[in-house]
Amino acid sequence: MMRTGILQATFAVSALSSIVFAASPARANDYYCDNDRAASQYPNCNTGSDAGWVLRTGQGGDANGDDRLGGPGTHFYGWSFYGLSGGNRFWLDVYLNNFDFTDTRAGYGASSQDVGYINQNTAPGGWSRIGTGTSYPSFRVQAWNDSGAGRTGADLIKIQTFSSFAAAQTDADESAAACATTFQVADPRVAAIQQKMLSAVDHYRDVQGSFRIAFSKIGQDERVDFTVSEQIASSSVRITKANGNVVERTSNAQSAVTRYLDTSTFRKAALAPVLRPVGARVIVNKTCEPVYVHRQDPAWGDAANEVTSPENYAFWLSSSNAAVVGNERLLGRAVTVVEGQHDAYLSRKLGATTFKMWVDDETGVLLKLVGTNEKGLTAYSIDVSDIRFNRGVDAKAFTVDEPAGWKNLSAE
């Protein structure tokens, strides 16, 4: 019964997507900017950073053979665009295909707005479409580590400019005519689960809970407590690290404030408008590279999105020979259990060969994840200890007031 419901939901979303896409305006222009590239190669861009970013060459997997790598606590890397034409809105794509790009909460912003966040450590290899923003003849895209585990990577990025935010996220000109790999899930049961995970934010009004996330290869071990309300587009997230350091983030759709309790510092930012993507969520570009189309969470759930909007883990299903292996109950909820094998890129990066995930049938929320290496030992895990849906929220929990007397990092 639950599988049938998921499939029906998938077909309904596909039908809606077709309607929206048909009315979408055409893309205006594509602009690329790579780290440390000559202006003659990418004439509309320049790059720069503050201290702490190391230029590396010959790593393998990078666009044009080089990248910039920062460490935890490193501030901003910037790609500056100028002389743009043909539109004043853009979609941001970032190229993540390096084993050392392991920042679990990499932030991206432009034009004084946060555009989106992504876990670089668990992102599949290829292009990740982060979200939307506002472009001008000259503007700057920035990346930073928002106190996540791991190291932030900076490589090639792309913006597609459009005339308005009504433009569809999937561009018809993006797809390749014929590629050896399509990255589409063949098993309809797995495809339905993937779609449910990718659209999880549509299937609950609010959610509260706690989970532990641990990826041993990068030393990540955190407890995340969260309240997320999609209904009023707000969130409150508290991340407690194994060393006792705490990061708190609250948002209310227009802005967000991140508080670093161990250093009495904070960062406040305006939030870019959020759009729902339409069309396929995994596409192949003209050079046969995968493009993973992320959806900005209207509530900006930050670290909570590891379970409340588990997009990276859903994208794993496109290249893992995944299969449904059972149905269980977990935390009092009906779940579907999926097993798969990591592709070569993620296997090396995460130190795991196989994974097993428990997905909530009703919402697509991830309730448990375990990755094991070839010896059968656990390489990473996510364990939800408490989950409550649609109980209502107190809007006072989502205040974005600046803490008095603390240093404002966003002013630097």
Side-chain angles (χ1 to χ4, degrees), residues 71-381:
T74 300
H75 295 291
F76 297 99
Y77 189 90
W79 299 262
S80 296
F81 291 88
Y82 51 89
L84 305 190
S85 61
N88 61 359
R89 311 295 186 185
F90 71 89
W91 299 102
L92 172 64
D93 292 10
V94 300
Y95 192 67
L96 304 173
N97 199 44
N98 189 290
F99 303 117
D100 296 327
F101 291 9
T102 56
D103 184 355
T104 58
R105 282 189 294 281
Y108 291 84
S111 303
S112 301
Q113 292 181 323
D114 284 5
V115 171
Y117 289 80
I118 188 170
N119 186 334
Q120 291 187 343
N121 188 49
T122 59
W127 288 95
S128 282
R129 186 160 296 171
I130 300 296
T132 63
T134 303
S135 69
Y136 303 95
S138 298
F139 76 105
R140 182 178 176 88
V141 174
Q142 292 181 317
W144 65 91
N145 185 315
D146 207 355
S147 197
R151 304 184 67 182
T152 314
D155 199 358
L156 182 65
I157 69 169
K158 170 187 175 182
I159 60 169
Q160 301 177 44
T161 59
F162 292 83
S163 59
S164 73
F165 272 137
Q169 179 147 340
T170 301
D171 175 9
D173 293 337
E174 183 75 54
S175 58
C179 293
T181 304
T182 63
F183 295 94
Q184 299 302 310
V185 178
D187 186 331
R189 296 178 300 170
V190 177
I193 292 167
Q194 183 185 59
Q195 180 61 46
K196 195 83 170 188
M197 296 171 72
L198 291 173
S199 60
V201 296
D202 290 331
H203 302 300
Y204 56 83
R205 297 187 306 275
D206 56 74
V207 58
Q208 303 169 62
S210 303
F211 65 90
R212 181 191 176 201
I213 179 169
F215 278 72
S216 59
K217 195 167 183 181
I218 60 170
Q220 182 186 20
D221 187 354
E222 299 170 340
R223 174 188 169 93
V224 180
D225 300 285
F226 61 89
T227 298
V228 174
S229 174
E230 302 300 339
Q231 189 172 36
I232 61 173
S234 300
S235 63
S236 175
V237 182
R238 180 183 176 93
I239 305 112
T240 304
K241 301 173 179 292
N243 63 5
N245 290 348
V246 175
V247 178
E248 294 179 340
R249 178 180 169 88
T250 52
S251 67
N252 64 2
Q254 287 78 39
S255 60
V257 62
T258 305
R259 307 172 188 87
Y260 310 98
L261 274 65
D262 58 311
T263 58
S264 296
T265 57
F266 73 96
R267 192 181 73 84
K268 188 172 183 178
L271 301 176
V274 172
L275 291 184
R276 176 177 179 168
V278 299
R281 299 292 297 278
V282 183
I283 55 180
V284 181
N285 65 17
K286 294 178 181 179
T287 56
C288 295
E289 296 170 309
V291 181
Y292 300 96
V293 181
H294 289 255
R295 176 177 181 173
Q296 295 161 298
D297 175 13
W300 290 84
D302 190 51
N305 288 158
E306 297 294 318
V307 301
T308 61
S309 183
E311 294 184 288
N312 276 354
Y313 309 114
F315 290 137
W316 288 1
L317 302 179
S318 293
S319 58
S320 62
N321 298 316
V324 174
V325 296
N327 298 94
E328 299 178 9
R329 293 196 67 82
L330 183 63
L331 299 174
R333 302 186 63 83
V335 299
T336 297
V337 186
V338 182
E339 290 185 353
Q341 296 179 328
H342 281 305
D343 60 21
Y345 173 76
L346 283 173
S347 180
R348 175 179 167 182
K349 188 172 190 179
L350 302 178
T353 54
T354 61
F355 64 84
K356 188 173 183 179
M357 59 177 68
W358 288 255
V359 182
D360 183 61
D361 285 338
E362 182 180 356
T363 64
V365 166
L366 181 66
L367 296 182
K368 186 175 180 179
L369 175 69
V370 176
T372 54
N373 61 23
E374 57 188 9
K375 296 181 180 180
L377 301 176
T378 299
Y380 60 79
S381 63

